[in-house]
Amino acid sequence: AGAAAQPQVRIPTQERVLAGTPTQVFAIGTEEGRSWEMFSTVQQLAFDRSDNLYVLDRGNTRVLVFDRTGRFVRQVGKKGDGPGELQVPMSIAVLADGTLAVSDLAHRNLSLYGPDGAFRRSIPYGEDLGMFGREMYPHPAGGVVGFSRPLGERGGSGRITRQNSLTRLPLTGASTALFRIPEVVNVQTTGSTPNRQMRMEMARIFSPRTAWGVLPDGSLAVAHTNGYTVKIVGPDGRERRWVQRPMRTRLTTEADRENFRERRRREP
């Protein structure tokens, strides 16, 4: 019923090889060097309108900025609990005016920095957004759109369906869930206390992955199924059309599972 209700744009099944050879513009990072040359868990990259590169160096709790030639410009943020300091940075987004937004899971806020790297203010978000900002992109009308996953679920072991969402968080006003994405996970309870429950979650091996982005008009492009389909979701949260490749999916076989397990065993 959903497929019949949406205008569908068909694109070719045949792959098309892109012409040309990639050219390296610059390279950053080294095993031994100055502080800004050594990274620990690069979580995300972003560019501003001047082609400056922003590197979320999550392991070192900071954002590093490089210009279009790869020259180091500045460090933004550091570990701590004071204004403009970070604890668990999840993602970054560079807004149209050059403002850098950093989502911090521990502080449960967005830290905003000016184009010069100076801290401006924080925007707190509530428990209803769960683990907000695992991925985050600027919204053309202001603020950011982030992937939000619920926190604090309780219950026994087994298979559960979680409702994730793509949520817009403006710089002023309330957040809005633009699109909801179900996720099936296997949960095993490993221990509990009167106030805490320890659980281990295991994603299903062949579960569909979510890929998404924000379009220039504020719409979202979302792929979250096993089909070759990208859903275009308007700023109002309604699905406008589907972009599809005419390719059929098939059920996973035991041979597929064994091939996967063998690849994993061979990985270093």
Side-chain angles (χ1 to χ4, degrees):
Q6 304 301 327
Q8 299 179 46
V9 180
R10 296 284 184 173
I11 57 178
T13 305
Q14 183 65 38
E15 302 283 358
R16 185 178 64 182
V17 179
L18 297 178
T21 302
T23 301
Q24 179 174 298
V25 179
F26 60 81
I28 57 175
T30 182
E31 291 186 7
E32 295 292 338
R34 287 163 288 190
S35 172
W36 55 265
E37 294 180 295
M38 296 184 292
F39 309 129
S40 175
T41 312
V42 173
Q43 183 75 9
Q44 186 184 354
L45 306 175
F47 288 91
D48 64 16
R49 291 187 171 183
S50 299
D51 288 337
N52 294 311
L53 171 65
Y54 294 71
V55 180
L56 175 53
D57 185 11
R58 182 177 176 183
N60 289 318
T61 325
R62 61 185 180 177
V63 178
L64 301 174
V65 185
F66 301 84
D67 68 14
R68 65 174 63 193
T69 67
R71 181 182 64 87
F72 174 66
V73 177
R74 70 177 66 90
Q75 174 180 320
V76 180
K78 64 179 182 178
K79 189 174 183 65
D81 292 318
E85 296 179 336
L86 307 168
Q87 280 291 347
V88 185
M90 295 289 291
S91 58
I92 59 176
V94 183
L95 310 187
D97 64 354
T99 297
L100 171 66
V102 183
S103 175
D104 192 317
L105 180 61
H107 292 156
R108 302 203 61 75
N109 65 20
L110 286 183
S111 290
L112 302 180
Y113 306 85
D116 59 354
F119 174 68
R120 289 181 173 177
R121 62 189 176 101
S122 295
I123 300 177
Y125 53 82
E127 294 290 332
D128 57 311
L129 290 191
M131 186 179 291
F132 176 80
R134 187 182 73 183
E135 294 175 277
M136 188 171 69
Y137 300 100
H139 192 281
V144 299
V145 179
F147 185 94
S148 180
R149 193 188 79 181
L151 288 177
E153 301 160 315
R154 297 185 65 86
S157 300
R159 180 176 297 178
I160 65 170
T161 300
R162 170 192 295 135
Q163 291 294 331
N164 302 320
S165 65
L166 301 178
T167 300
R168 183 186 173 200
L169 182 61
L171 301 187
T172 58
S175 62
T176 304
L178 301 178
F179 190 72
R180 300 191 183 279
I181 304 168
E183 178 187 16
V184 178
V185 294
N186 295 320
V187 176
Q188 180 179 353
T189 301
T190 58
S192 62
T193 65
N195 299 318
R196 184 185 297 264
Q197 184 182 63
M198 284 74 74
R199 307 198 309 170
M200 180 172 62
E201 296 184 0
M202 296 159 286
R204 300 169 67 190
I205 293 176
F206 293 101
S207 295
R209 305 300 182 189
T210 298
W212 65 283
V214 181
L215 303 180
D217 66 348
S219 299
L220 305 178
V222 187
H224 68 100
T225 68
N226 280 330
Y228 294 86
T229 301
V230 178
K231 298 179 179 179
I232 307 301
V233 181
D236 57 359
R238 296 183 179 182
E239 295 180 27
R240 291 181 172 178
R241 63 187 181 277
W242 292 1
V243 180
Q244 296 180 309
R245 298 183 70 186
M247 300 173 65
R248 291 187 177 183
T249 58
R250 62 176 177 81
L251 294 177
T252 303
T253 66
E254 184 55 37
D256 295 325
R257 298 187 182 93
E258 182 55 35
N259 287 336
F260 176 83
R261 288 189 286 264
E262 181 61 26
R263 289 198 303 270
R264 292 294 298 269
R265 285 192 287 267
R266 293 178 179 177
E267 289 178 356

